Amino acid sequence: MREPSAVQEPVIVAASPRMIELRGLARRAAQTDATVLITGESGVGKDLLARALHVDSARARYPFVAVNCAGMAETLLESELFGHTRGSFTGAHRDHVGKLQSADHGTLFLDEVGEMSERMQALLLRFLENRELQPVGSTRAPLIVDVRLVAATNRSLPERVAAGMFREDLLYRLRVIELHVPPLRERRDDIGALIEHFSRADGRRVTFSPEATVALLGYRWPGNVRELQNVIAQASWLADGGTIELRHLPEPVRENRSGALVRTQERRRQVADQLFESLVARECSFWDEVHPLFISRDITRHDLRELLKRGLEATHGNYRALLRLFGLPSSDYHRLHNFLAAHDCKVDYRRFRVGVAGNLTEHATPAH
Ligand SMILES: Nc1ncnc2c1ncn2[C@@H]1O[C@H](COP(=O)(O)OP(=O)(O)OP(=O)(O)O)[C@@H](O)[C@H]1O
Ligand SMILES: [Mg+2]
């Protein structure tokens, strides 16, 4: 018998109807062996949900193994997942058991799965199809492993598929069940319950002044639950066991930036989001709809820039992939650049390449 896994029972605080429903769905999903894809912005609780899926499942006594696919060189990720045999490459001094094998009978959590290189996507797909494991350099018969796969991403995989950066067949394999965790601002009923939860976390019961409570409840929480957790921890420390006052909260929360600036930014984001989604879904065309809207000034230069930023974000700063994503033929490359330059709407693609995992830079280089 194996050692019981060290994963603690995760507490998922849920007060909003959407979160209560999601927690219920996750409990049902835990009873199956189906591959689960967890999506949602950074800090919403994807890790937590993945652990809950494991702990609530029949696999709970076996390992929960997490692998982060971002920022790891392709070859390293391959041997991390599949293992390698001694001498299979320089520096491979001994056999290395891959994470898929360590997770046998348990759950493998593939975090930031959207960052996988093309080759790794192909290897993962093959594994999902036959559940066979061939360590790098091994000539033995492949191992069969029994692993439940849970993947997570804070990117939109359908957008990455549209941009030609993620395999559609892999997306379907991963998304047998999809659990989407909404951002905290879309489930505001959870804010109070989470404050309560985190303010009890260090054992002593913290209290809040009415002004501090109003600021915390009204804030937009762009960093989601992680930001809230950090703010409470920091404020508790600053208040040193006393009441948390407004002055103990960070400036953005204190000022509760819900003024005109935020509203304008929000509107701009909404316009860009709508256009972006319509373009990606091929419900509208860039030249037939977006372009005339801009010329007639129904959308502003800022809106257009925001739209491009979203596209460049999805494509890691690759204008050619952006054309594909927006349903434009590659022959429109110069036409688009000329149009953007003429109206001072160009967005510098380089800032979207910063922090890109090494294995993706090949995609980021425009193909000529
Ligand atoms: N519903 C919740 N109840 C209690 N704690 C939560 C909840 N959601 C998130 N948390 C806590 O918030 C923190 C951030 O959550 P988590 O790490 O799971 O986010 P994530 O979606 O994986 O973020 P990232 O995309 O950056 O990896 C963790 O400490 C987690 O335990
Ligand atoms: Mg995470």
Coordinates of all heavy atoms in Angstrom, one line a residue, residues 174-211:
L174 N -8.7 17.7 -23.3 CA -8.5 18.2 -21.9 C -9.8 18.7 -21.4 O -10.1 18.6 -20.2 CB -7.5 19.4 -22.0 CG -6.1 19.1 -22.3 CD1 -5.3 20.4 -22.4 CD2 -5.5 18.2 -21.2
R175 N -10.7 19.2 -22.2 CA -11.9 19.8 -21.8 C -13.1 18.8 -21.8 O -14.2 19.2 -22.2 CB -12.2 21.0 -22.7 CG -13.2 22.0 -22.2 CD -13.3 23.2 -23.1 NE -13.7 22.8 -24.5 CZ -13.9 23.7 -25.5 NH1 -13.7 25.0 -25.2 NH2 -14.2 23.4 -26.7
V176 N -12.9 17.6 -21.3 CA -14.0 16.7 -21.2 C -15.0 17.3 -20.2 O -16.2 17.4 -20.5 CB -13.5 15.3 -20.7 CG1 -14.7 14.3 -20.6 CG2 -12.5 14.8 -21.7
I177 N -14.5 17.8 -19.1 CA -15.3 18.6 -18.2 C -14.6 19.9 -18.0 O -13.4 20.0 -17.8 CB -15.4 17.9 -16.8 CG1 -16.1 16.6 -16.9 CG2 -16.2 18.9 -15.8 CD1 -16.2 15.8 -15.6
E178 N -15.3 21.1 -18.2 CA -14.7 22.4 -18.0 C -15.3 23.0 -16.7 O -16.5 23.1 -16.6 CB -14.8 23.3 -19.2 CG -14.2 24.6 -18.9 CD -14.1 25.5 -20.2 OE1 -14.3 25.0 -21.3 OE2 -13.7 26.7 -20.0
L179 N -14.4 23.4 -15.9 CA -14.9 24.2 -14.7 C -14.3 25.6 -14.8 O -13.1 25.8 -14.8 CB -14.4 23.5 -13.4 CG -14.9 22.1 -13.1 CD1 -14.2 21.5 -11.9 CD2 -16.4 22.0 -13.0
H180 N -15.2 26.6 -15.0 CA -14.7 27.9 -15.1 C -14.9 28.7 -13.8 O -16.0 28.7 -13.3 CB -15.5 28.7 -16.2 CG -15.1 30.1 -16.3 ND1 -13.8 30.5 -16.8 CD2 -15.7 31.2 -16.0 CE1 -13.7 31.8 -16.7 NE2 -14.9 32.3 -16.2
V181 N -13.8 29.2 -13.2 CA -14.0 29.9 -12.0 C -14.1 31.4 -12.3 O -13.1 32.0 -12.9 CB -12.7 29.7 -11.1 CG1 -13.0 30.2 -9.7 CG2 -12.3 28.2 -11.0
P182 N -15.2 32.0 -12.0 CA -15.4 33.4 -12.4 C -14.5 34.4 -11.6 O -14.1 34.0 -10.5 CB -16.9 33.7 -12.1 CG -17.5 32.5 -11.6 CD -16.4 31.5 -11.3
P183 N -14.1 35.5 -12.1 CA -13.4 36.5 -11.3 C -14.2 37.0 -10.1 O -15.4 36.9 -10.2 CB -13.1 37.7 -12.3 CG -14.1 37.5 -13.4 CD -14.4 36.0 -13.5
L184 N -13.5 37.4 -9.1 CA -14.2 37.7 -7.9 C -15.2 38.9 -8.1 O -16.3 38.9 -7.5 CB -13.1 38.1 -6.8 CG -13.6 38.2 -5.4 CD1 -14.4 37.0 -4.9 CD2 -12.4 38.5 -4.5
R185 N -14.9 39.8 -9.0 CA -15.8 41.0 -9.2 C -17.1 40.5 -9.8 O -18.1 41.2 -9.8 CB -15.2 42.0 -10.1 CG -14.8 41.5 -11.5 CD -14.1 42.5 -12.4 NE -13.7 41.9 -13.6 CZ -12.6 41.1 -13.8 NH1 -11.8 40.9 -12.7 NH2 -12.3 40.5 -14.9
E186 N -17.2 39.3 -10.4 CA -18.5 38.8 -10.9 C -19.2 37.9 -9.9 O -20.2 37.3 -10.2 CB -18.2 38.0 -12.2 CG -17.8 38.9 -13.3 CD -17.5 38.1 -14.6 OE1 -17.9 36.9 -14.7 OE2 -16.9 38.6 -15.5
R187 N -18.7 37.8 -8.7 CA -19.4 37.0 -7.6 C -19.1 37.7 -6.3 O -18.5 37.2 -5.4 CB -18.9 35.6 -7.6 CG -17.4 35.4 -7.7 CD -17.0 34.0 -7.7 NE -15.6 33.8 -8.0 CZ -14.7 33.5 -7.1 NH1 -15.0 33.2 -5.8 NH2 -13.4 33.3 -7.4
R188 N -19.7 39.0 -6.3 CA -19.3 39.8 -5.2 C -19.8 39.3 -3.8 O -19.3 39.7 -2.8 CB -19.8 41.3 -5.4 CG -19.4 41.9 -6.7 CD -19.5 43.4 -6.7 NE -18.5 43.9 -5.8 CZ -17.3 44.3 -6.1 NH1 -16.9 44.3 -7.4 NH2 -16.5 44.8 -5.2
D189 N -20.8 38.4 -3.9 CA -21.3 37.9 -2.6 C -20.2 37.0 -1.9 O -20.4 36.7 -0.7 CB -22.5 36.9 -2.9 CG -23.7 37.7 -3.4 OD1 -23.6 38.9 -3.3 OD2 -24.7 37.0 -3.8
D190 N -19.2 36.6 -2.6 CA -18.1 35.8 -2.0 C -17.2 36.7 -1.2 O -16.5 36.2 -0.3 CB -17.3 35.1 -3.0 CG -18.1 33.9 -3.6 OD1 -19.0 33.4 -2.9 OD2 -17.8 33.5 -4.7
I191 N -17.1 38.0 -1.5 CA -16.1 38.9 -0.9 C -16.2 38.8 0.7 O -15.2 38.6 1.3 CB -16.2 40.3 -1.4 CG1 -15.9 40.3 -2.9 CG2 -15.1 41.2 -0.7 CD1 -16.1 41.7 -3.6
G192 N -17.4 39.1 1.2 CA -17.6 39.1 2.6 C -17.2 37.8 3.3 O -16.5 37.7 4.3
A193 N -17.6 36.7 2.7 CA -17.3 35.4 3.2 C -15.8 35.1 3.2 O -15.3 34.5 4.1 CB -18.1 34.3 2.4
L194 N -15.1 35.5 2.1 CA -13.7 35.3 2.0 C -12.9 36.2 3.1 O -12.0 35.7 3.7 CB -13.2 35.6 0.6 CG -13.5 34.6 -0.4 CD1 -13.4 35.1 -1.8 CD2 -12.7 33.3 -0.3
I195 N -13.4 37.4 3.3 CA -12.8 38.3 4.3 C -12.9 37.6 5.6 O -11.9 37.5 6.4 CB -13.4 39.7 4.3 CG1 -13.2 40.4 3.0 CG2 -12.9 40.5 5.5 CD1 -13.9 41.7 2.9
E196 N -14.1 37.1 5.9 CA -14.3 36.4 7.2 C -13.4 35.2 7.3 O -12.7 35.0 8.3 CB -15.8 35.9 7.1 CG -16.3 35.0 8.2 CD -16.9 35.8 9.3 OE1 -17.2 37.0 9.1 OE2 -17.1 35.3 10.4
H197 N -13.3 34.4 6.2 CA -12.4 33.2 6.2 C -11.0 33.6 6.5 O -10.3 33.0 7.3 CB -12.6 32.5 4.9 CG -11.7 31.4 4.6 ND1 -11.9 30.2 5.3 CD2 -10.7 31.2 3.8 CE1 -10.9 29.3 4.9 NE2 -10.2 29.9 4.0
F198 N -10.5 34.5 5.7 CA -9.0 34.8 5.8 C -8.7 35.6 7.1 O -7.6 35.5 7.6 CB -8.5 35.6 4.6 CG -8.5 34.8 3.4 CD1 -9.1 35.3 2.2 CD2 -7.9 33.6 3.3 CE1 -9.1 34.6 1.0 CE2 -7.9 32.8 2.2 CZ -8.5 33.3 1.0
S199 N -9.7 36.3 7.7 CA -9.4 37.1 8.9 C -9.4 36.1 10.1 O -9.0 36.5 11.2 CB -10.3 38.2 9.1 OG -11.6 37.8 9.2
R200 N -9.8 34.9 9.9 CA -9.7 33.9 11.0 C -8.5 33.0 10.8 O -8.2 32.2 11.7 CB -11.0 33.1 11.0 CG -12.1 33.7 11.9 CD -13.2 32.7 12.1 NE -13.6 32.2 10.7 CZ -14.8 31.9 10.4 NH1 -15.8 32.1 11.2 NH2 -15.1 31.5 9.2
A201 N -7.9 33.2 9.7 CA -6.9 32.2 9.3 C -5.7 32.1 10.3 O -5.2 31.0 10.5 CB -6.3 32.5 7.9
D202 N -5.3 33.2 10.9 CA -4.1 33.1 11.8 C -4.5 32.8 13.2 O -3.7 33.1 14.2 CB -3.2 34.3 11.6 CG -3.9 35.6 12.1 OD1 -5.1 35.5 12.4 OD2 -3.3 36.6 12.2
G203 N -5.7 32.4 13.5 CA -6.1 31.9 14.8 C -6.8 33.0 15.6 O -7.8 32.7 16.3
R204 N -6.4 34.3 15.5 CA -7.1 35.3 16.2 C -8.1 36.0 15.4 O -8.0 36.1 14.2 CB -6.1 36.3 16.8 CG -5.0 36.6 15.9 CD -4.0 37.6 16.5 NE -3.2 38.1 15.4 CZ -2.2 38.9 15.6 NH1 -2.0 39.4 16.7 NH2 -1.5 39.3 14.5
R205 N -9.2 36.4 16.0 CA -10.3 36.9 15.3 C -10.0 38.4 15.1 O -9.9 39.2 16.0 CB -11.6 36.7 16.1 CG -12.8 37.0 15.5 CD -13.3 35.8 14.7 NE -14.7 36.0 14.3 CZ -15.1 36.8 13.3 NH1 -14.1 37.4 12.6 NH2 -16.3 36.9 13.0
V206 N -10.0 38.9 13.8 CA -9.7 40.3 13.6 C -11.0 41.0 13.4 O -12.0 40.4 12.9 CB -8.9 40.4 12.3 CG1 -8.2 41.8 12.2 CG2 -7.9 39.3 12.1
T207 N -11.1 42.3 13.8 CA -12.3 43.0 13.5 C -12.0 44.2 12.5 O -10.8 44.6 12.4 CB -12.9 43.6 14.8 OG1 -11.8 44.3 15.5 CG2 -13.5 42.5 15.7
F208 N -13.0 44.7 11.9 CA -12.8 45.8 10.9 C -13.7 47.0 11.3 O -14.8 46.9 11.8 CB -13.3 45.3 9.5 CG -12.5 44.1 9.0 CD1 -12.9 42.8 9.4 CD2 -11.5 44.3 8.1 CE1 -12.1 41.7 9.0 CE2 -10.8 43.2 7.7 CZ -11.1 41.9 8.1
S209 N -13.1 48.2 11.0 CA -13.9 49.4 11.2 C -15.0 49.4 10.0 O -14.7 48.8 9.0 CB -13.0 50.6 11.1 OG -12.7 50.9 9.8
P210 N -16.1 50.2 10.2 CA -17.1 50.2 9.2 C -16.5 50.7 7.8 O -16.8 50.2 6.8 CB -18.2 51.2 9.7 CG -18.0 51.2 11.2 CD -16.5 50.9 11.4
E211 N -15.6 51.7 7.9 CA -15.1 52.3 6.7 C -14.2 51.3 6.0 O -14.2 51.2 4.7 CB -14.2 53.5 7.0 CG -14.9 54.7 7.6 CD -15.2 54.6 9.0 OE1 -14.6 53.7 9.7 OE2 -16.1 55.3 9.6

